[in-house]
Amino acid sequence: MAKPPLSIPDSELDVLKVLWDRGQATVREVLETLKEAGHVGNKEGKPWSYATVATLLDRLETKKVVVSDRADQAFTYRPVVSVGDIQQRRVESLVDKLYQGEPGLLVLHLLKSHPIDPGQALEVRALLEEMSAESADKSRKSSTHPKPGHSA
Amino acid sequence: MAKPPLSIPDSELDVLKVLWDRGQATVREVLETLKEAGHVGNKEGKPWSYATVATLLDRLETKKVVVSDRADQAFTYRPVVSVGDIQQRRVESLVDKLYQGEPGLLVLHLLKSHPIDPGQALEVRALLEEMSAESADKSRKSSTHPKPGHSA
DNA sequence: ACGATCGGACGACACTTGTCTTAGGATACG
DNA sequence: CGTATCCTAAGACAAGTGTCGTCCGATCGT
């Protein structure tokens, strides 16, 4: 059966982001957060109505992306898929559809057409060296030094 | 006016790919190509009907993505946007929505979670060296794998 | 000239997405 | 208690997407 993960449209993604940001929230909290727009990459002035947010949350729940919990007197929603999961899906899809399934092509495209942060470039280089060293010299010492990948 | 480029749904993308592949084609040619599925990254056995393909091509035309040309007795469609254009749009969108607008984060994600082709990895490294040399200019051309002492 | 084909224009239809309105049940407060 | 609040449930509705069915005029083969 392999149920293909349902798509998560952009509007739903917007509210999902809020949940990721604060871990959990009620409809109203999401609404307020979106209006005050005090979080990552969000367009201000979303004139959303309470009902709209409720609908989105509802659809996300039917898609098994969030779960609702009866706390207090209002439902509290919490995400059950991480941002990483969604990124995975989208990236995978993009690579499959426009880069012959080869992530390397996407990487090349990104580096060529988008200016990347110098710091990140450094990280990328380090990562690549590590990888090539690992594959080219597999009989090498496997030094798996932990990377400081967590920003903030 | 800056008309935001209309979205190109996946089904339309499928036929558009055929046009990219062969430069141009009639409805029937696209249909056959899709059925015989003899091209890059295409799922076989698409039970598409002539009408479906015609519709898709039609919609693509209204979206100004392809143009039709009356040749012979059947219309011939030709793409007016390149695969690069579409890639650009999609990547941009993805980066904006899930990577805080920072392409570098996507690159990192890709390298970490998807195995990339060694050859492409090489290309990437070369590209990065070139870039860093260009920005932090060193007027040097030696390819002596400069070790990136992670000490920033 | 006639019927079989081909190609195209129209329109249909179900489902998804984006946004809401409103009715109805709980709660809180004077 | 009565009313203002808040919440949820249930629809509604216009676009956009995914896939066709058909009717119709132009063509082809015999």
Side-chain angles (χ1 to χ4, degrees), chain B residues 52-116:
Chain B
T52 301
V53 176
T55 298
L56 273 327
L57 246 359
D58 213 51
R59 291 181 178 168
L60 280 174
E61 188 166 31
T62 58
K63 288 177 186 175
K64 312 280 202 213
V65 173
V66 309
V67 288
S68 59
D69 213 5
R70 161 168 274 104
D72 218 3
Q73 32 69 271
F75 273 55
T76 294
Y77 294 83
R78 185 176 10 180
V80 289
V81 302
S82 68
V83 62
D85 290 332
I86 303 302
Q87 290 175 324
Q88 196 76 16
R89 296 186 193 181
R90 298 245 177 158
V91 170
E92 201 105 340
S93 163
L94 178 63
V95 170
D96 282 352
K97 283 196 267 282
L98 286 167
Y99 295 87
Q100 292 93 62
E102 299 201 48
L105 294 180
L106 211 203
V107 174
L108 262 337
H109 178 162
L110 279 165
L111 295 179
K112 285 180 194 160
S113 54
H114 300 268
I116 68 166

Side-chain angles (χ1 to χ4, degrees), chain A residues 67-145:
Chain A
V67 288
S68 59
D69 213 6
R70 162 167 272 105
D72 219 2
Q73 34 66 274
F75 273 56
T76 293
Y77 294 82
R78 182 177 12 177
V80 289
V81 301
S82 68
V83 62
D85 290 331
I86 302 302
Q87 291 176 323
Q88 196 76 15
R89 295 187 193 183
R90 296 243 177 161
V91 170
E92 200 104 341
S93 163
L94 178 63
V95 170
D96 282 352
K97 283 197 268 281
L98 287 169
Y99 295 87
Q100 292 92 64
E102 300 200 48
L105 294 180
L106 210 202
V107 174
L108 262 336
H109 179 162
L110 280 165
L111 295 178
K112 285 180 194 159
S113 53
H114 301 267
I116 66 167
D117 181 278
Q120 290 167 349
L122 258 289
E123 263 195 81
V124 172
R125 294 180 66 166
L127 196 52
L128 281 174
E129 304 237 343
E130 203 180 291
M131 296 176 103
S132 63
E134 206 172 277
S135 68
D137 286 306
K138 49 192 58 177
S139 344
R140 233 19 205 332
K141 56 170 195 287
S142 53
S143 55
T144 318
H145 32 242

Side-chain angles (χ1 to χ4, degrees), chain A residues 7 9 11 48 51-52 55 59 63:
Chain A
S7 77
S11 50
W48 270 332
T52 300
T55 298
R59 308 228 260 228
K63 289 177 185 174

Side-chain angles (χ1 to χ4, degrees), chain A residues 7 93-94 96-98, chain B residues 7-17 34 42 46 48 56 60 63 86 90:
Chain A
S7 77
S93 163
L94 178 63
D96 282 352
K97 283 197 268 281
L98 287 169
Chain B
S7 76
I8 308 227
D10 294 345
S11 50
E12 285 170 24
L13 190 55
D14 282 334
V15 341
L16 187 51
K17 278 193 230 177
L34 285 174
N42 182 49
K46 285 263 185 184
W48 270 331
L56 273 327
L60 280 174
K63 288 177 186 175
I86 303 302
R90 298 245 177 158

